Amino acid sequence: MKKFTKFFVIILTVFTAIFSASFANKNAVSAASNNKKKVLVVYFSRTKGVYGGNLKQGNTARVAKYIQQHTDADIYEIVPKKNYPNDYEKTTEVAQKEQETDARPAIKGKLPNVKKYDAIFIGAPIWWGEYPMVVRTFLDEAKGLNGKNLIPFTTHEGSGLGNTSEQLRQQFPKAKVQRGFSVNGNKVKNDPKAVKKQVDSWLNKLNY
Ligand SMILES: Cc1cc2nc3c(=O)[nH]c(=O)nc-3n(C[C@H](O)[C@H](O)[C@H](O)COP(=O)(O)O)c2cc1C
């Protein structure tokens, strides 16, 4: 009887060990897969015709690259077929006209296959309170955004995210639109290290 009890205890211990190991393993796998979302960063950004003078690197482009580094993402730049003017005032006029006419300026080259990704960050400078219309072209033409995690990010001179989150929610009702990030364009230019920190902390909170 005593022998039997000992045998039973050993069997039970072995089973418990195997069960808890496999459970721990499962948790590790699911935690890893949570952090291993396949991410695409899409952005539009300019170095000329920007408020405050020309830049070496566009404000939004910098933020896009910080997101890419943090999330190990693929990155895609929206390049308009027709360039905007190099002058700031003229750019604001063209942009306003595009908005008034609900234009969809053509994009140069092929669009990425967004279906391959779990999450798509979509960034741009705020133009007249919204995404520039060339970004709206992307939203219309990149088939498969509905149902994805969509995260807006912007640079601006006071408008924050503008109506970018609302645009995504309204156009893609089945998407999960997550909390976006916005930062003043001049801050990106003058204190990029601080902005990188802000980007990292925002992404950590979102679990990316
Ligand atoms: C056509 C145009 C319209 C703009 N409209 C706004 C606006 O409505 N609100 C705002 O805060 N900033 C506005 N800005 C400023 C830009 O959003 C800001 O300079 C941004 O950081 C530029 O980023 P980029 O270098 O990535 O193009 C506008 C700039 C341009 C050129």
Side-chain angles (χ1 to χ4, degrees), residues 41-46 50 55 57-67 75 122-127 131-132 153-156 181 183 185 188:
V41 178
V42 174
Y43 73 96
F44 170 65
S45 182
R46 304 189 72 219
V50 177
L55 301 167
Q57 200 182 358
N59 294 325
T60 314
R62 280 200 201 219
V63 175
K65 275 158 205 170
Y66 297 153
I67 300 171
I75 193 158
I122 304 169
I126 290 289
W127 279 11
Y131 273 131
F153 64 99
T154 69
T155 66
H156 63 92
F181 176 83
V183 62
V188 181

Side-chain angles (χ1 to χ4, degrees), residues 17 37 49 61 90 94 100 115-116 127 152 204:
K37 288 194 193 92
K90 282 188 184 141
V94 173
E100 282 165 5
K115 291 183 182 141
K116 290 196 320 201
W127 279 11
N204 286 337

Side-chain angles (χ1 to χ4, degrees), residues 17-63:
I18 290 172
F19 177 75
S20 51
S22 79
F23 186 70
N25 202 24
K26 242 187 204 151
N27 270 357
V29 168
S30 71
S33 60
N34 272 346
N35 291 331
K36 266 288 156 209
K37 288 194 193 92
K38 203 146 172 26
V39 177
L40 175 67
V41 178
V42 174
Y43 73 96
F44 170 65
S45 182
R46 304 189 72 219
T47 55
K48 289 185 179 147
V50 177
Y51 178 81
N54 292 349
L55 301 167
K56 266 197 195 140
Q57 200 182 358
N59 294 325
T60 314
R62 280 200 201 219
V63 175

Side-chain angles (χ1 to χ4, degrees), residues 42-127:
V42 174
Y43 73 96
F44 170 65
S45 182
R46 304 189 72 219
T47 55
K48 289 185 179 147
V50 177
Y51 178 81
N54 292 349
L55 301 167
K56 266 197 195 140
Q57 200 182 358
N59 294 325
T60 314
R62 280 200 201 219
V63 175
K65 275 158 205 170
Y66 297 153
I67 300 171
Q68 180 199 20
Q69 285 163 16
H70 186 109
T71 59
D72 199 18
D74 291 340
I75 193 158
Y76 169 81
E77 180 182 0
I78 297 173
V79 180
K81 233 178 202 165
K82 186 167 177 242
N83 273 334
Y84 287 96
N86 287 340
D87 173 78
Y88 170 72
E89 292 297 332
K90 282 188 184 141
T91 305
T92 60
E93 285 163 24
V94 173
Q96 193 170 26
K97 205 168 262 167
E98 283 183 354
Q99 230 182 55
E100 282 165 5
T101 56
D102 200 23
R104 293 294 184 273
I107 292 173
K108 203 175 185 173
K110 227 180 127 199
L111 296 188
N113 177 10
V114 296
K115 291 183 182 141
K116 290 196 320 201
Y117 301 93
D118 306 306
I120 299 124
F121 289 79
I122 304 169
I126 290 289
W127 279 11

Side-chain angles (χ1 to χ4, degrees), residues 112-164:
N113 177 10
V114 296
K115 291 183 182 141
K116 290 196 320 201
Y117 301 93
D118 306 306
I120 299 124
F121 289 79
I122 304 169
I126 290 289
W127 279 11
W128 296 110
E130 303 180 13
Y131 273 131
M133 298 315 272
V134 71
V135 176
R136 297 283 298 278
T137 306
F138 175 84
L139 298 179
D140 285 1
E141 292 182 1
K143 302 291 175 214
L145 290 171
N146 220 353
K148 300 287 182 187
N149 293 296
L150 301 180
I151 313 100
F153 64 99
T154 69
T155 66
H156 63 92
E157 289 303 328
S159 298
L161 280 166
N163 90 329
T164 55

